[in-house]
Amino acid sequence: MASPTTDDDQMNSGLLQITVHSGRQLRKADFFGKGDPYVVVRVNNVKVYTSTIKYDTDCPRFEESVHCILSDVLDSKICFEVYDKDMIGSDDTIGCAFVNLAKISDIVNSALLLSLPDKTDCGSINVSVSFKRMQIIRPLSIIKKHPTPKSSTRKILFQG
């Protein structure tokens, strides 16, 4: 039997929208030409989205979003992993950036410029995060992926 939810739990549950806008001066991982970057988004260590690949650029424009239902936004973390697509072998990691949602002062709508730290300058990504509080009637116990619609928005439901 599920444990009853408290009023505090209800205040921290809701719909999280994550938008990956663009990348700037992303580190080139290939010997020839420019990179072919894409972004993987994880919420609480669960992969929720993979962007399209932007070919032959170090300043990609993505403008892609994903929606997640969270049971506790204050206990949630987002990881943005940026990769360079390779034709042969495994893709190269350009860098990762993390966002702890409990530390964002305006979770209602926050635009963030995230540096991709590494031994060298790996560039940055421009993302936005918005959260709309809503009551979850019944806690979700499984991850449910919906088929990707023709637009670049995808909805994923899970318990955070």
Side-chain angles (χ1 to χ4, degrees):
M1 185 166 122
S3 61
T5 56
T6 65
D7 288 342
D8 288 342
D9 292 338
Q10 297 295 330
M11 291 303 295
N12 293 330
S13 63
L15 181 67
L16 176 69
Q17 177 177 321
I18 304 165
T19 303
V20 179
H21 296 287
S22 61
R24 281 192 350 196
Q25 299 173 340
L26 297 179
R27 179 177 54 95
K28 180 176 117 172
D30 296 330
F31 288 112
F32 302 103
K34 294 182 180 177
D36 305 315
Y38 66 95
V39 179
V40 173
V41 179
R42 295 181 189 275
V43 176
N44 299 330
N45 296 318
V46 176
K47 182 196 262 188
V48 297
Y49 192 75
T50 301
S51 75
T52 57
I53 300 166
K54 301 300 179 181
Y55 292 97
D56 199 32
T57 183
D58 63 353
C59 295
R61 299 276 315 156
F62 295 103
E63 299 303 337
E64 298 175 15
S65 296
V66 63
H67 296 84
C68 304
I69 292 179
L70 297 178
S71 61
D72 187 359
V73 70
L74 297 178
D75 192 32
S76 297
K77 295 175 181 70
I78 306 172
C79 175
F80 297 91
E81 303 168 346
V82 182
Y83 294 92
D84 179 40
K85 180 71 176 165
D86 281 343
M87 297 298 276
I88 300 172
S90 60
D91 297 345
D92 300 312
T93 302
I94 295 174
C96 299
F98 299 90
V99 174
N100 183 341
L101 295 178
K103 295 185 178 181
I104 297 179
S105 60
D106 181 16
I107 192 68
V108 174
N109 192 6
S110 294
L112 306 167
L113 180 62
L114 304 174
S115 294
L116 301 172
D118 197 359
K119 295 176 186 170
T120 60
D121 182 21
C122 295
S124 60
I125 56 172
N126 181 9
V127 302
S128 61
V129 177
S130 64
F131 182 73
K132 180 179 180 182
R133 295 186 193 287
M134 59 193 310
Q135 182 177 5
I136 297 177
I137 304 301
R138 179 176 53 89
L140 302 173
S141 59
I142 61 170
I143 297 173
K144 182 176 179 186
K145 294 186 178 183
H146 296 274
T148 306
K150 292 186 181 190
S151 72
S152 61
T153 300
R154 186 189 211 180
K155 293 183 181 178
I156 298 181
L157 310 175
F158 68 95
Q159 183 172 353

